[in-house]
Amino acid sequence: VQMQVKGIARLPTERQAAFVSHIVDLARSVPPSSCKTMFLGQMSTAEAAALERRYIARLPLGRFEAISNLYREAAEAELAGYPDAKVINAQQAMIAEKVYAAASERRVAKQVSKEAVRSVTRDAASAAPADVCAYISSTVEGMLDMTEPYKAWQLTRFAQSMQ
């Protein structure tokens, strides 16, 4: 799992975006309580991996192959040490974060009720699991709405944050 996660940082932008889509799809397919626990960092790595394996096992063949290939590519890239993991500077990271915040706000406004947004932003730990899952899934999905080069920069930040 560590090789796959580290290898994601080595993949091209479009493959990193496919990984983000996979994470969002996974989050939306599990029970809201599991989604909330996962997104709030309260789930162990082993539990999250088991949850993801069960999800992947239920996917239609094409999607199963797509995510399996993505993880294979990531592991092979990490084993080979190539391509190099992308690096961005502090200014790029700051700009990417601002663009991401705006893209996520737009996505959340379209997909999540105002009441749910208030509940989660007030206190995510005590908010309803479905609200937390909807809010954070939409926030993460906002990365996919970004234009280049900001999208690539934010995906780099996301891949690095997972390590």
Side-chain angles (χ1 to χ4, degrees), residues 42-136:
Q42 299 167 339
M43 183 179 285
S44 73
T45 303
E47 290 172 308
L51 184 73
E52 183 183 20
R53 280 192 304 272
R54 286 191 300 274
Y55 167 72
I56 291 171
R58 294 188 318 258
L59 290 174
L61 182 59
R63 289 186 57 207
F64 175 87
E65 288 174 336
I67 193 60
S68 296
N69 287 337
L70 184 129
Y71 278 142
R72 180 186 45 77
E73 291 168 25
E76 288 174 353
E78 185 60 23
L79 283 169
Y82 182 84
D84 290 337
K86 297 173 190 163
V87 178
I88 60 172
N89 63 39
Q91 183 179 9
Q92 290 168 324
M94 185 177 68
I95 294 168
E97 183 60 32
K98 287 180 183 177
V99 174
Y100 173 52
S104 293
E105 275 183 35
R106 286 189 299 275
R107 176 70 74 144
V108 167
K110 289 179 191 174
Q111 295 180 340
V112 184
S113 74
K114 289 179 182 177
E115 182 179 301
V117 171
R118 277 192 297 273
S119 172
V120 174
T121 56
R122 188 174 32 245
D123 183 12
S126 63
D131 291 346
V132 173
C133 191
Y135 178 82
I136 297 178

Coordinates of all heavy atoms in Angstrom, one line a residue, residues 42-136:
Q42 N -9.9 9.2 11.2 CA -10.1 8.4 12.4 C -10.1 6.9 12.1 O -10.4 6.1 13.0 CB -11.4 8.8 13.1 CG -11.4 10.2 13.5 CD -12.8 10.7 13.9 OE1 -13.8 10.2 13.5 NE2 -12.9 11.8 14.7
M43 N -9.8 6.6 10.9 CA -9.8 5.2 10.5 C -8.3 4.7 10.3 O -7.5 5.5 9.6 CB -10.6 5.0 9.1 CG -10.7 3.6 8.6 SD -11.6 3.5 7.1 CE -13.3 3.7 7.7
S44 N -8.0 3.6 10.8 CA -6.6 3.1 10.6 C -6.3 2.8 9.1 O -7.2 2.6 8.3 CB -6.3 1.9 11.4 OG -7.0 0.8 10.8
T45 N -5.0 2.8 8.8 CA -4.6 2.5 7.4 C -5.1 1.1 7.0 O -5.6 0.9 5.9 CB -3.1 2.6 7.3 OG1 -2.7 3.9 7.7 CG2 -2.7 2.3 5.9
A46 N -5.0 0.2 7.9 CA -5.5 -1.2 7.7 C -7.0 -1.3 7.4 O -7.4 -1.9 6.5 CB -5.1 -2.1 8.8
E47 N -7.8 -0.5 8.2 CA -9.2 -0.5 8.0 C -9.6 0.2 6.7 O -10.4 -0.3 6.0 CB -9.9 0.3 9.2 CG -9.9 -0.4 10.5 CD -10.4 0.5 11.6 OE1 -9.9 1.6 11.7 OE2 -11.3 0.1 12.3
A48 N -8.9 1.2 6.4 CA -9.2 1.9 5.1 C -8.8 1.1 3.9 O -9.5 1.0 2.9 CB -8.4 3.3 5.1
A49 N -7.7 0.4 4.0 CA -7.3 -0.5 2.9 C -8.3 -1.7 2.7 O -8.7 -2.0 1.6 CB -5.9 -1.1 3.2
A50 N -8.8 -2.2 3.8 CA -9.8 -3.3 3.7 C -11.1 -2.8 3.1 O -11.7 -3.4 2.3 CB -10.0 -3.9 5.1
L51 N -11.5 -1.6 3.6 CA -12.7 -1.0 3.0 C -12.6 -0.7 1.5 O -13.5 -1.1 0.7 CB -12.9 0.4 3.7 CG -14.2 1.1 3.4 CD1 -15.4 0.4 4.0 CD2 -14.1 2.6 3.9
E52 N -11.4 -0.2 1.1 CA -11.2 0.0 -0.3 C -11.1 -1.3 -1.1 O -11.7 -1.4 -2.2 CB -9.9 0.8 -0.5 CG -9.6 1.1 -2.0 CD -8.3 1.8 -2.3 OE1 -7.4 1.7 -1.4 OE2 -8.2 2.4 -3.4
R53 N -10.5 -2.4 -0.6 CA -10.4 -3.6 -1.2 C -11.8 -4.2 -1.5 O -12.1 -4.7 -2.6 CB -9.6 -4.7 -0.5 CG -8.1 -4.5 -0.7 CD -7.3 -5.6 -0.1 NE -7.6 -5.9 1.3 CZ -6.9 -5.4 2.3 NH1 -6.0 -4.5 2.1 NH2 -7.2 -5.7 3.5
R54 N -12.7 -4.1 -0.5 CA -14.1 -4.5 -0.6 C -14.8 -3.7 -1.7 O -15.6 -4.3 -2.5 CB -14.9 -4.5 0.7 CG -14.5 -5.5 1.7 CD -15.4 -5.6 2.9 NE -15.5 -4.4 3.7 CZ -14.6 -4.0 4.6 NH1 -13.7 -4.9 5.0 NH2 -14.8 -2.9 5.3
Y55 N -14.6 -2.4 -1.7 CA -15.2 -1.6 -2.8 C -14.7 -2.0 -4.2 O -15.5 -2.2 -5.1 CB -14.8 -0.1 -2.5 CG -15.1 0.8 -3.6 CD1 -16.5 1.1 -4.0 CD2 -14.1 1.4 -4.4 CE1 -16.7 2.0 -5.1 CE2 -14.4 2.2 -5.5 CZ -15.7 2.5 -5.8 OH -15.9 3.3 -6.8
I56 N -13.4 -2.1 -4.3 CA -12.8 -2.5 -5.6 C -13.3 -3.8 -6.1 O -13.6 -4.0 -7.3 CB -11.3 -2.5 -5.5 CG1 -10.8 -1.0 -5.4 CG2 -10.6 -3.1 -6.8 CD1 -9.3 -0.9 -5.1
A57 N -13.5 -4.8 -5.2 CA -13.9 -6.1 -5.6 C -15.3 -6.1 -6.1 O -15.7 -7.0 -6.9 CB -13.9 -7.0 -4.4
R58 N -16.1 -5.1 -5.8 CA -17.5 -5.0 -6.3 C -17.7 -4.2 -7.6 O -18.7 -4.1 -8.1 CB -18.4 -4.3 -5.2 CG -18.6 -5.1 -3.9 CD -19.6 -4.5 -3.0 NE -19.6 -3.1 -2.9 CZ -19.0 -2.4 -1.9 NH1 -18.5 -3.1 -0.9 NH2 -19.0 -1.1 -1.8
L59 N -16.6 -3.6 -8.0 CA -16.6 -2.7 -9.2 C -16.9 -3.6 -10.5 O -16.5 -4.7 -10.6 CB -15.3 -2.0 -9.4 CG -15.0 -0.9 -8.4 CD1 -13.6 -0.3 -8.6 CD2 -16.0 0.2 -8.5
P60 N -17.5 -3.0 -11.5 CA -17.6 -3.6 -12.8 C -16.2 -3.9 -13.3 O -15.3 -3.1 -13.0 CB -18.4 -2.6 -13.6 CG -19.0 -1.6 -12.7 CD -18.2 -1.7 -11.4
L61 N -16.1 -4.8 -14.2 CA -14.8 -5.3 -14.7 C -13.9 -4.1 -15.2 O -12.8 -4.0 -14.9 CB -14.9 -6.4 -15.7 CG -13.6 -6.9 -16.3 CD1 -12.8 -7.5 -15.2 CD2 -13.9 -8.0 -17.4
G62 N -14.5 -3.2 -16.0 CA -13.7 -2.1 -16.6 C -13.2 -1.2 -15.6 O -12.0 -0.8 -15.6
R63 N -14.0 -0.9 -14.6 CA -13.5 0.0 -13.5 C -12.5 -0.7 -12.6 O -11.6 -0.1 -12.1 CB -14.7 0.6 -12.7 CG -15.5 1.6 -13.6 CD -16.5 2.3 -12.8 NE -16.1 3.0 -11.7 CZ -16.8 3.2 -10.6 NH1 -18.1 2.9 -10.5 NH2 -16.3 3.9 -9.5
F64 N -12.8 -2.0 -12.4 CA -11.8 -2.8 -11.6 C -10.4 -2.8 -12.2 O -9.4 -2.6 -11.6 CB -12.4 -4.2 -11.4 CG -11.4 -5.2 -10.7 CD1 -11.4 -5.3 -9.3 CD2 -10.5 -5.9 -11.4 CE1 -10.5 -6.1 -8.7 CE2 -9.6 -6.8 -10.8 CZ -9.6 -6.9 -9.4
E65 N -10.4 -3.1 -13.5 CA -9.2 -3.1 -14.3 C -8.5 -1.7 -14.3 O -7.3 -1.6 -14.1 CB -9.4 -3.5 -15.7 CG -9.7 -5.0 -15.8 CD -10.1 -5.4 -17.2 OE1 -10.5 -4.6 -18.0 OE2 -9.9 -6.6 -17.5
A66 N -9.3 -0.6 -14.4 CA -8.7 0.7 -14.4 C -8.0 1.0 -13.1 O -6.9 1.6 -13.1 CB -9.8 1.7 -14.7
I67 N -8.7 0.8 -12.0 CA -8.0 1.1 -10.7 C -6.9 0.2 -10.4 O -5.8 0.6 -9.9 CB -9.0 1.2 -9.5 CG1 -8.4 1.9 -8.3 CG2 -9.6 -0.1 -9.2 CD1 -7.9 3.3 -8.5
S68 N -7.0 -1.1 -10.8 CA -5.9 -2.0 -10.6 C -4.7 -1.6 -11.4 O -3.5 -1.6 -10.9 CB -6.3 -3.4 -11.0 OG -7.3 -3.9 -10.2
N69 N -4.9 -1.1 -12.7 CA -3.8 -0.7 -13.5 C -3.2 0.6 -12.9 O -2.0 0.8 -13.0 CB -4.3 -0.4 -14.9 CG -4.6 -1.7 -15.7 OD1 -4.0 -2.7 -15.4 ND2 -5.4 -1.6 -16.7
L70 N -4.0 1.5 -12.4 CA -3.5 2.7 -11.8 C -2.6 2.4 -10.6 O -1.4 2.9 -10.5 CB -4.6 3.6 -11.4 CG -4.1 5.0 -10.8 CD1 -4.9 6.1 -11.5 CD2 -4.4 5.0 -9.3
Y71 N -3.0 1.5 -9.8 CA -2.2 1.1 -8.6 C -0.9 0.3 -9.1 O 0.1 0.5 -8.5 CB -3.0 0.2 -7.6 CG -3.8 1.1 -6.7 CD1 -5.1 0.6 -6.3 CD2 -3.4 2.3 -6.2 CE1 -5.9 1.4 -5.4 CE2 -4.1 3.0 -5.3 CZ -5.4 2.6 -4.9 OH -6.2 3.3 -4.1
R72 N -1.0 -0.5 -10.1 CA 0.1 -1.2 -10.6 C 1.1 -0.2 -11.2 O 2.3 -0.2 -10.9 CB -0.2 -2.2 -11.7 CG 1.0 -2.9 -12.3 CD 0.6 -3.8 -13.5 NE -0.3 -3.1 -14.5 CZ 0.1 -2.2 -15.4 NH1 1.4 -1.8 -15.5 NH2 -0.7 -1.7 -16.2
E73 N 0.7 0.8 -11.9 CA 1.5 1.9 -12.5 C 2.2 2.6 -11.3 O 3.4 2.9 -11.4 CB 0.7 2.9 -13.3 CG 0.2 2.3 -14.6 CD -0.8 3.3 -15.3 OE1 -0.8 4.5 -15.0 OE2 -1.6 2.7 -16.0
A74 N 1.5 2.9 -10.3 CA 2.0 3.7 -9.1 C 3.1 2.8 -8.4 O 4.2 3.4 -8.1 CB 0.9 4.1 -8.2
A75 N 2.8 1.6 -8.2 CA 3.8 0.7 -7.5 C 5.1 0.5 -8.4 O 6.2 0.6 -7.9 CB 3.2 -0.6 -7.2
E76 N 4.9 0.4 -9.7 CA 6.0 0.2 -10.6 C 6.9 1.5 -10.6 O 8.1 1.4 -10.7 CB 5.6 -0.2 -12.0 CG 5.1 -1.6 -12.1 CD 4.5 -2.0 -13.4 OE1 4.3 -1.1 -14.3 OE2 4.2 -3.2 -13.6
A77 N 6.2 2.6 -10.7 CA 6.9 3.9 -10.7 C 7.7 4.1 -9.4 O 8.9 4.5 -9.4 CB 5.9 5.1 -10.8
E78 N 7.1 3.7 -8.3 CA 7.8 3.8 -7.0 C 9.0 2.8 -6.9 O 10.1 3.2 -6.5 CB 6.9 3.6 -5.8 CG 7.5 3.8 -4.5 CD 8.1 5.2 -4.2 OE1 7.6 6.2 -4.9 OE2 9.0 5.3 -3.4
L79 N 8.8 1.6 -7.4 CA 9.9 0.6 -7.4 C 11.1 1.1 -8.3 O 12.2 0.9 -8.0 CB 9.4 -0.7 -7.9 CG 8.6 -1.5 -6.8 CD1 8.0 -2.7 -7.5 CD2 9.5 -2.0 -5.7
A80 N 10.7 1.7 -9.5 CA 11.7 2.1 -10.4 C 12.4 3.4 -10.0 O 13.4 3.8 -10.4 CB 11.1 2.3 -11.8
G81 N 11.7 4.2 -9.1 CA 12.2 5.5 -8.7 C 12.0 6.5 -9.8 O 12.7 7.5 -9.8
Y82 N 11.2 6.2 -10.8 CA 11.0 7.0 -11.9 C 9.6 6.9 -12.4 O 9.0 5.9 -12.4 CB 12.0 6.6 -13.1 CG 11.9 7.5 -14.3 CD1 12.6 8.7 -14.3 CD2 11.1 7.1 -15.4 CE1 12.5 9.5 -15.4 CE2 11.0 7.9 -16.5 CZ 11.7 9.1 -16.5 OH 11.6 9.9 -17.6
P83 N 9.0 8.0 -12.9 CA 9.5 9.3 -13.0 C 9.7 9.9 -11.6 O 9.0 9.4 -10.6 CB 8.5 10.1 -13.8 CG 7.3 9.3 -13.7 CD 7.6 7.9 -13.5
D84 N 10.4 11.0 -11.4 CA 10.6 11.6 -10.2 C 9.2 12.1 -9.7 O 8.4 12.5 -10.5 CB 11.5 12.8 -10.3 CG 13.0 12.4 -10.5 OD1 13.3 11.2 -10.1 OD2 13.7 13.2 -11.0
A85 N 9.0 12.1 -8.4 CA 7.8 12.7 -7.8 C 7.8 14.2 -8.1 O 8.9 14.8 -8.1 CB 7.7 12.5 -6.3
K86 N 6.7 14.7 -8.4 CA 6.6 16.2 -8.8 C 6.9 17.0 -7.6 O 6.5 16.6 -6.4 CB 5.2 16.5 -9.4 CG 4.9 15.7 -10.6 CD 3.5 16.0 -11.1 CE 3.1 15.0 -12.2 NZ 1.7 14.9 -12.4
V87 N 7.5 18.1 -7.8 CA 7.8 19.1 -6.7 C 7.3 20.4 -7.1 O 7.4 20.8 -8.3 CB 9.3 19.2 -6.5 CG1 9.7 20.2 -5.4 CG2 9.9 17.8 -6.2
I88 N 6.7 21.1 -6.2 CA 6.2 22.5 -6.4 C 6.8 23.4 -5.4 O 7.2 22.9 -4.3 CB 4.7 22.6 -6.5 CG1 4.0 22.2 -5.2 CG2 4.1 21.8 -7.7 CD1 2.5 22.4 -5.1
N89 N 6.9 24.7 -5.7 CA 7.5 25.6 -4.7 C 6.4 26.2 -3.8 O 5.2 25.9 -4.1 CB 8.4 26.6 -5.4 CG 7.5 27.5 -6.3 OD1 6.4 27.9 -6.0 ND2 8.2 27.9 -7.5
A90 N 6.8 26.9 -2.9 CA 5.8 27.5 -1.9 C 4.8 28.4 -2.6 O 3.6 28.4 -2.2 CB 6.6 28.2 -0.8
Q91 N 5.3 29.2 -3.5 CA 4.4 30.1 -4.2 C 3.3 29.3 -5.0 O 2.1 29.7 -5.0 CB 5.1 31.1 -5.1 CG 4.2 32.1 -5.8 CD 5.0 33.1 -6.7 OE1 6.2 32.9 -6.9 NE2 4.3 34.1 -7.2
Q92 N 3.8 28.3 -5.7 CA 2.8 27.5 -6.5 C 1.8 26.8 -5.6 O 0.6 26.7 -5.9 CB 3.6 26.4 -7.3 CG 4.4 27.0 -8.4 CD 5.4 26.0 -9.0 OE1 5.9 25.1 -8.3 NE2 5.6 26.0 -10.3
A93 N 2.3 26.3 -4.4 CA 1.4 25.7 -3.4 C 0.4 26.7 -2.9 O -0.8 26.3 -2.8 CB 2.2 25.1 -2.3
M94 N 0.8 27.9 -2.6 CA -0.1 28.9 -2.1 C -1.2 29.3 -3.2 O -2.4 29.3 -2.9 CB 0.7 30.1 -1.7 CG -0.2 31.2 -1.1 SD 0.8 32.6 -0.6 CE 1.3 33.3 -2.2
I95 N -0.8 29.4 -4.4 CA -1.7 29.7 -5.5 C -2.6 28.6 -5.7 O -3.9 28.8 -5.9 CB -0.9 30.1 -6.8 CG1 -0.2 31.4 -6.6 CG2 -1.9 30.2 -8.0 CD1 0.9 31.7 -7.7
A96 N -2.1 27.3 -5.7 CA -2.9 26.2 -6.0 C -4.0 26.1 -4.9 O -5.2 25.7 -5.1 CB -2.1 24.9 -6.0
E97 N -3.6 26.4 -3.6 CA -4.6 26.3 -2.5 C -5.7 27.3 -2.7 O -6.9 27.0 -2.4 CB -3.9 26.5 -1.2 CG -4.8 26.4 0.0 CD -5.4 25.0 0.2 OE1 -4.8 24.0 -0.2 OE2 -6.6 25.0 0.7
K98 N -5.4 28.5 -3.2 CA -6.4 29.5 -3.4 C -7.4 29.1 -4.5 O -8.6 29.2 -4.4 CB -5.8 30.8 -3.7 CG -5.1 31.5 -2.5 CD -4.5 32.9 -2.9 CE -3.8 33.5 -1.7 NZ -3.2 34.7 -2.0
V99 N -6.8 28.6 -5.6 CA -7.7 28.2 -6.7 C -8.5 26.9 -6.3 O -9.7 26.8 -6.7 CB -6.8 27.8 -8.0 CG1 -7.6 27.3 -9.1 CG2 -6.1 29.1 -8.4
Y100 N -7.9 26.0 -5.5 CA -8.6 24.9 -5.1 C -9.8 25.3 -4.1 O -10.9 24.7 -4.2 CB -7.6 23.9 -4.3 CG -8.3 22.8 -3.6 CD1 -9.1 21.9 -4.3 CD2 -8.0 22.5 -2.3 CE1 -9.7 20.8 -3.6 CE2 -8.5 21.4 -1.7 CZ -9.4 20.6 -2.3 OH -9.9 19.5 -1.7
A101 N -9.5 26.2 -3.3 CA -10.6 26.7 -2.3 C -11.8 27.2 -3.1 O -12.9 26.9 -2.8 CB -10.0 27.7 -1.4
A102 N -11.5 28.0 -4.2 CA -12.6 28.6 -5.0 C -13.3 27.5 -5.7 O -14.5 27.5 -5.8 CB -12.0 29.6 -5.9
A103 N -12.6 26.5 -6.3 CA -13.2 25.4 -7.1 C -14.0 24.6 -6.2 O -15.1 24.1 -6.5 CB -12.1 24.6 -7.8
S104 N -13.5 24.3 -5.0 CA -14.2 23.5 -4.0 C -15.5 24.2 -3.5 O -16.6 23.5 -3.4 CB -13.3 23.1 -2.8 OG -12.3 22.3 -3.3
E105 N -15.4 25.5 -3.3 CA -16.6 26.2 -2.9 C -17.7 26.1 -3.9 O -18.9 25.9 -3.6 CB -16.2 27.7 -2.6 CG -15.7 28.0 -1.3 CD -15.4 29.5 -1.1 OE1 -16.2 30.3 -1.6 OE2 -14.4 29.8 -0.4
R106 N -17.3 26.3 -5.2 CA -18.3 26.2 -6.2 C -18.9 24.8 -6.3 O -20.2 24.6 -6.4 CB -17.7 26.5 -7.6 CG -17.4 28.0 -7.8 CD -17.0 28.4 -9.2 NE -15.8 27.7 -9.6 CZ -14.6 28.2 -9.4 NH1 -14.4 29.3 -8.7 NH2 -13.5 27.5 -9.8
R107 N -18.1 23.8 -6.2 CA -18.6 22.4 -6.2 C -19.5 22.1 -5.0 O -20.6 21.5 -5.2 CB -17.4 21.4 -6.2 CG -17.7 20.0 -6.2 CD -18.3 19.4 -7.4 NE -17.3 19.3 -8.5 CZ -17.4 18.3 -9.4 NH1 -18.3 17.4 -9.3 NH2 -16.6 18.3 -10.4
V108 N -19.1 22.5 -3.8 CA -19.9 22.3 -2.6 C -21.2 23.0 -2.7 O -22.3 22.5 -2.4 CB -19.1 22.7 -1.4 CG1 -20.0 22.8 -0.1 CG2 -18.0 21.8 -1.1
A109 N -21.2 24.2 -3.2 CA -22.5 25.0 -3.4 C -23.5 24.3 -4.3 O -24.7 24.4 -4.1 CB -22.2 26.4 -3.9
K110 N -23.0 23.6 -5.3 CA -23.8 22.9 -6.3 C -24.3 21.6 -5.7 O -25.4 21.1 -6.0 CB -23.1 22.6 -7.6 CG -22.8 23.7 -8.4 CD -22.0 23.3 -9.7 CE -21.5 24.4 -10.4 NZ -20.6 24.0 -11.5
Q111 N -23.6 20.9 -4.8 CA -23.9 19.6 -4.4 C -24.3 19.4 -3.0 O -24.8 18.3 -2.7 CB -22.6 18.7 -4.7 CG -22.3 18.5 -6.1 CD -21.1 17.6 -6.3 OE1 -20.3 17.4 -5.4 NE2 -20.9 17.1 -7.6
V112 N -24.1 20.3 -2.1 CA -24.4 20.1 -0.7 C -25.3 21.2 -0.2 O -25.1 22.4 -0.5 CB -23.0 20.1 0.1 CG1 -23.3 19.8 1.6 CG2 -22.0 19.1 -0.5
S113 N -26.3 20.8 0.6 CA -27.2 21.8 1.2 C -26.5 22.8 2.1 O -25.5 22.5 2.7 CB -28.3 21.1 2.0 OG -27.8 20.6 3.2
K114 N -27.0 24.0 2.1 CA -26.4 25.0 3.0 C -26.5 24.6 4.4 O -25.5 24.9 5.2 CB -27.2 26.4 2.8 CG -26.9 27.0 1.4 CD -27.7 28.3 1.3 CE -27.4 28.8 -0.1 NZ -28.1 30.0 -0.4
E115 N -27.5 23.9 4.8 CA -27.6 23.4 6.2 C -26.5 22.5 6.5 O -25.8 22.5 7.6 CB -29.0 22.8 6.4 CG -29.2 22.3 7.9 CD -30.6 21.7 8.0 OE1 -31.5 22.4 7.8 OE2 -30.6 20.5 8.4
A116 N -26.2 21.6 5.6 CA -25.1 20.6 5.8 C -23.8 21.3 5.9 O -22.9 20.9 6.7 CB -25.1 19.5 4.7
V117 N -23.6 22.3 5.0 CA -22.3 23.0 5.0 C -22.1 23.7 6.3 O -21.0 23.6 6.9 CB -22.3 24.0 3.8 CG1 -21.1 25.0 4.0 CG2 -22.2 23.3 2.5
R118 N -23.2 24.4 6.9 CA -23.1 25.0 8.2 C -22.7 24.0 9.3 O -21.9 24.3 10.1 CB -24.4 25.8 8.5 CG -24.5 27.1 7.9 CD -25.6 27.9 8.5 NE -26.9 27.3 8.2 CZ -27.7 27.5 7.1 NH1 -27.2 28.3 6.2 NH2 -28.8 26.9 7.0
S119 N -23.4 22.9 9.2 CA -23.2 21.9 10.3 C -21.7 21.4 10.3 O -21.1 21.3 11.3 CB -24.2 20.7 10.0 OG -23.9 19.6 10.9
V120 N -21.2 21.1 9.1 CA -19.9 20.5 9.0 C -18.8 21.6 9.3 O -17.9 21.3 10.0 CB -19.6 19.9 7.6 CG1 -18.2 19.5 7.4 CG2 -20.6 18.8 7.3
T121 N -19.0 22.8 8.8 CA -18.0 23.8 9.1 C -18.0 24.3 10.5 O -17.0 24.7 11.0 CB -18.2 25.0 8.1 OG1 -19.5 25.5 8.2 CG2 -17.9 24.6 6.7
R122 N -19.2 24.1 11.2 CA -19.3 24.5 12.6 C -18.5 23.5 13.4 O -17.8 23.8 14.3 CB -20.7 24.6 13.0 CG -21.0 25.2 14.4 CD -22.4 25.4 14.7 NE -23.4 24.5 14.1 CZ -24.3 24.9 13.2 NH1 -24.4 26.1 12.8 NH2 -25.1 24.0 12.7
D123 N -18.8 22.2 13.2 CA -18.2 21.1 14.0 C -18.3 19.8 13.3 O -19.3 19.1 13.4 CB -18.8 21.0 15.4 CG -18.2 20.0 16.3 OD1 -17.1 19.5 15.9 OD2 -18.8 19.7 17.3
A124 N -17.3 19.5 12.4 CA -17.4 18.3 11.6 C -17.5 17.0 12.5 O -18.2 16.0 12.1 CB -16.2 18.2 10.7
A125 N -16.9 17.0 13.6 CA -16.9 15.8 14.5 C -18.3 15.5 14.9 O -18.7 14.3 15.1 CB -16.0 16.0 15.7
S126 N -19.2 16.5 15.2 CA -20.5 16.2 15.6 C -21.6 16.3 14.5 O -22.7 16.0 14.8 CB -20.9 17.1 16.8 OG -20.9 18.5 16.4
A127 N -21.2 16.6 13.3 CA -22.1 16.7 12.2 C -22.5 15.3 11.8 O -21.8 14.3 12.0 CB -21.4 17.5 11.0
A128 N -23.7 15.3 11.1 CA -24.2 14.0 10.6 C -23.2 13.4 9.6 O -22.6 14.1 8.8 CB -25.5 14.2 9.9
P129 N -23.0 12.1 9.7 CA -22.0 11.4 8.8 C -22.3 11.7 7.3 O -21.4 12.0 6.6 CB -22.1 9.9 9.2 CG -22.5 9.9 10.6 CD -23.5 11.1 10.7
A130 N -23.6 11.7 6.9 CA -23.9 11.9 5.5 C -23.5 13.3 5.1 O -23.0 13.5 4.0 CB -25.4 11.7 5.3
D131 N -23.7 14.3 6.0 CA -23.3 15.7 5.7 C -21.8 15.8 5.6 O -21.3 16.5 4.6 CB -23.8 16.6 6.8 CG -25.3 16.8 6.8 OD1 -26.0 16.3 5.8 OD2 -25.8 17.3 7.8
V132 N -21.1 15.2 6.5 CA -19.6 15.3 6.4 C -19.1 14.6 5.1 O -18.2 15.2 4.4 CB -18.9 14.6 7.7 CG1 -17.4 14.5 7.5 CG2 -19.3 15.3 8.9
C133 N -19.6 13.5 4.8 CA -19.2 12.8 3.6 C -19.5 13.6 2.4 O -18.7 13.7 1.5 CB -19.9 11.4 3.5 SG -19.1 10.3 2.3
A134 N -20.7 14.1 2.3 CA -21.1 14.9 1.1 C -20.2 16.2 1.0 O -19.7 16.5 -0.1 CB -22.5 15.3 1.2
Y135 N -20.0 16.8 2.1 CA -19.2 18.1 2.1 C -17.7 17.8 1.7 O -17.2 18.4 0.8 CB -19.2 18.7 3.5 CG -18.4 20.0 3.6 CD1 -18.9 21.2 3.1 CD2 -17.1 19.9 4.1 CE1 -18.1 22.3 3.2 CE2 -16.3 21.1 4.2 CZ -16.8 22.3 3.7 OH -16.0 23.4 3.8
I136 N -17.1 16.8 2.3 CA -15.7 16.5 2.0 C -15.5 15.9 0.7 O -14.6 16.3 -0.1 CB -15.0 15.7 3.2 CG1 -15.1 16.5 4.5 CG2 -13.6 15.4 2.8 CD1 -14.5 15.8 5.7

